Amino acid sequence: QVQLVESGGGSVQAGGSLRLSCAAFGSINSIYCMGWFRQAPGKEREGVAAICNGGLSTYYADSVKGRFTISQDGAKNTLYLQMNSVKPEDTAMYYCAADYRLGNAGTLLEGRYRYWGQGKQVTVSS
């Protein structure tokens, strides 16, 4: 079992920066992939970024490439999402997720992940 607790988030003006953190507890040594997802009101949850295989592989949605960076500490205790040059359309509830399964298929798809955090709101004002 893995428990995920997000922190950070809040409100920021367009063009600014924000960092989300996700602390992992429990059986974290076997985690293979971790990811960040977001859900805006009235929209489906979408994958934002993922990191797998101890950080050797990272994946980003086209909408955030070049602006967001996913990273994790060496022990996989904490996952980060550095958000730069944020836009109003980045406004959403952000969730972190984790899974044990090997392989990099579907890393930005909800169904890939078994464990989820409770979410943190990010609001970007214009």
Side-chain angles (χ1 to χ4, degrees):
Q1 290 291 324
V2 173
Q3 295 80 43
L4 303 171
V5 180
E6 297 102 335
S7 59
S11 297
V12 62
Q13 286 192 327
S17 297
L18 206 62
R19 189 175 82 160
L20 296 174
S21 300
C22 173
F25 303 92
S27 304
I28 63 173
N29 289 336
S30 298
I31 292 175
Y32 187 79
C33 282
M34 297 187 77
W36 287 100
F37 288 74
R38 67 186 181 187
Q39 187 168 21
K43 295 188 177 182
E44 294 185 354
R45 192 177 299 187
E46 62 173 352
V48 174
I51 187 166
C52 301
N53 196 13
L56 292 179
S57 302
T58 56
Y59 307 86
Y60 294 93
D62 288 343
S63 57
V64 306
K65 276 181 184 175
R67 299 189 299 120
F68 291 9
T69 302
I70 189 170
S71 62
Q72 64 185 160
D73 64 12
K76 291 186 280 188
N77 290 330
T78 308
L79 180 72
Y80 302 99
L81 184 69
Q82 179 65 42
M83 306 166 63
N84 297 331
S85 303
V86 295
K87 304 175 181 179
E89 50 264 45
D90 294 322
T91 295
M93 186 73 80
Y94 282 72
Y95 300 87
C96 80
D99 198 85
Y100 295 129
R101 286 172 289 181
L102 302 180
N104 297 346
T107 50
L108 294 181
L109 299 179
E110 256 191 284
R112 172 70 173 81
Y113 297 88
R114 180 175 181 179
Y115 303 103
W116 292 84
Q118 80 286 358
K120 273 292 182 182
Q121 178 67 36
V122 171
T123 301
V124 182
S125 57
S126 57

